[in-house]
Amino acid sequence: MSGSSPELPIVVLDALMPTAQRLVVNRRGSTVWDVESHRGHYAVKLGHPIEATADWPAQPWTALAPAREGAVLHRLGLDDLAYGEWERGTWNFQPWHEGPDLYRLWEPCREKDSPVEPHTSVALGCVEALAELHTKGWAHGDVQPAHFIIGPERTHLIDLALARGGHVPEGYDLPFRGCLVHYEAPEIARSVLTTGEAEPTQEADVYGLGASLLISATGWRAMEYPDDAPRPVQREAVANGKRRPVRVPGPLGELIDAMLSHAPEDRPTIYEAGKALSRVLAAEDRLTEAPVRAH
Ligand SMILES: Nc1ncnc2c1ncn2[C@@H]1O[C@H](COP(=O)(O)OP(=O)(O)OP(=O)(O)O)[C@@H](O)[C@H]1O
Ligand SMILES: [Mg+2]
């Protein structure tokens, strides 16, 4: 496929008979389309192996990610999806969620001297999406701003390819080797550095959401390391907890700070985070709705 424009496999074309399709991402190991069909509106994901180059080792398991995600979504109770295999790996289709992701939505907050503040209701929507997964006994493993889609009705947490919490068919399972370092909890970074692998946990998800809210609201990473540092050096900084101060005003800033606690047991659970934000939101509503009385 290198160089040429990717195409949907026949098996997916047969299943969906697209009336319109748009390529969303096409990068190492993964391709995503936005597909409309008489059956509905879907995200189609295709996985293929990442070949070894001078800069990175081969990553054969990226080929399995869509089928693994399909199996996870199915276990979580979603029926409107399908997954299977194509020549170079696996694929899935799942409902398309309309809306910007958290990073894009909060872009105005990141502009210099911006008067725009991050909305509590948006943060709460992200917390609720993650809480829904945690309630079912799962951990996401790859929490990042691009994975929260802020829809008109609710926020969706996407990309469950690395989620842990229930049975996944052995043939589609893949190792967890950490996530994007900006959102990786210290204990995960430490484990990846020492063993090459880690175990996704709900506590690490809470850290990942804290780091996602921080970077989306301010543009700043939670931890301090040079942009161009090699990945192991970045992980070392994360594992050692070289924190940056959280510069988000008010109770949201306090919550983010707690979510980024070095020790997993010091972080709030996602339910505690939800309760804290609900209280803030209720107080904000009282302020805006309070009638002005002139005596
Ligand atoms: N169900 C969906 N609804 C809307 N957009 C989606 C959906 N699934 C994926 N996307 C879009 O495709 C992008 C890539 O999807 P996803 O993160 O699941 O794939 P990925 O290959 O695992 O990417 P990465 O390696 O960056 O995590 C998302 O950031 C989003 O823009
Ligand atoms: Mg992703």
Side-chain angles (χ1 to χ4, degrees):
M1 181 152 69
S2 53
S4 63
S5 156
E7 286 175 14
L8 286 167
I10 304 276
V11 50
V12 177
L13 291 173
D14 278 351
L16 285 181
M17 309 237 252
T19 51
Q21 65 188 69
R22 177 178 65 90
L23 187 62
V24 181
V25 291
N26 179 29
R27 55 184 161 223
R28 294 197 304 139
S30 154
T31 316
V32 178
W33 282 266
D34 169 358
V35 171
E36 308 229 28
S37 79
H38 294 299
R39 182 179 158 151
H41 191 179
Y42 295 95
V44 176
K45 298 182 33 171
L46 224 59
H48 40 88
I50 296 179
E51 320 285 348
T53 72
D55 297 325
W56 59 75
Q59 293 169 46
W61 55 85
T62 49
L64 300 175
R68 188 178 191 284
E69 182 184 35
V72 169
L73 290 171
H74 206 215
R75 296 252 357 148
L76 289 168
L78 194 73
D79 284 328
D80 189 14
L81 83 152
Y83 58 94
E85 295 173 19
W86 66 298
E87 305 95 87
R88 301 195 55 208
T90 67
W91 56 269
N92 77 42
F93 66 76
Q94 56 180 284
W96 178 265
H97 303 301
E98 203 60 59
D101 65 44
L102 177 64
Y103 192 73
R104 188 148 77 78
L105 186 70
W106 278 1
E107 200 175 321
C109 308
R110 297 191 298 274
E111 276 161 24
K112 198 166 176 291
D113 302 324
S114 170
V116 185
E117 285 193 6
H119 275 194
T120 309
S121 59
V122 172
L124 181 57
C126 296
V127 166
E128 285 169 347
L130 185 55
E132 189 180 326
L133 188 68
H134 286 188
T135 311
K136 293 176 178 166
W138 287 72
H140 186 278
D142 193 11
V143 171
Q144 52 174 280
H147 289 165
F148 291 94
I149 309 280
I150 322 297
E153 308 285 330
R154 52 157 297 173
T155 293
H156 293 274
L157 177 53
I158 61 164
D159 197 355
L160 288 131
L162 296 173
R164 292 284 188 289
H167 176 75
V168 170
E170 212 179 302
Y172 292 147
D173 213 359
L174 44 106
F176 180 67
R177 295 164 173 266
C179 54
L180 286 184
V181 181
H182 299 348
Y183 313 103
E184 201 169 85
E187 68 277 13
I188 301 280
R190 170 63 57 213
S191 171
V192 173
L193 280 173
T194 50
T195 69
E197 291 189 23
E199 188 63 36
T201 62
Q202 297 189 344
E203 291 85 350
D205 282 352
V206 167
Y207 177 97
L209 179 52
S212 297
L213 292 167
L214 178 65
I215 219 165
S216 302
T218 66
W220 288 91
R221 294 191 304 259
M223 297 283 187
E224 201 177 317
Y225 46 80
D227 270 331
D228 54 359
R231 188 106 20 109
V233 175
Q234 295 187 351
R235 284 213 158 95
E236 200 60 53
V238 172
N240 293 335
K242 288 189 74 183
R243 284 275 305 277
R244 284 202 169 118
V246 170
R247 292 210 178 85
V248 178
L252 179 60
E254 284 167 34
L255 178 66
I256 292 175
D257 200 50
M259 293 170 87
L260 292 172
S261 297
H262 188 80
E265 62 274 17
D266 291 343
R267 296 173 204 146
T269 64
I270 201 66
Y271 317 112
E272 287 164 347
K275 277 191 205 133
L277 286 177
S278 300
R279 275 195 299 272
V280 176
L281 199 60
E284 287 174 357
D285 284 350
R286 275 197 298 280
L287 274 181
T288 50
E289 279 166 20
V292 181
R293 290 177 210 277
H295 287 289

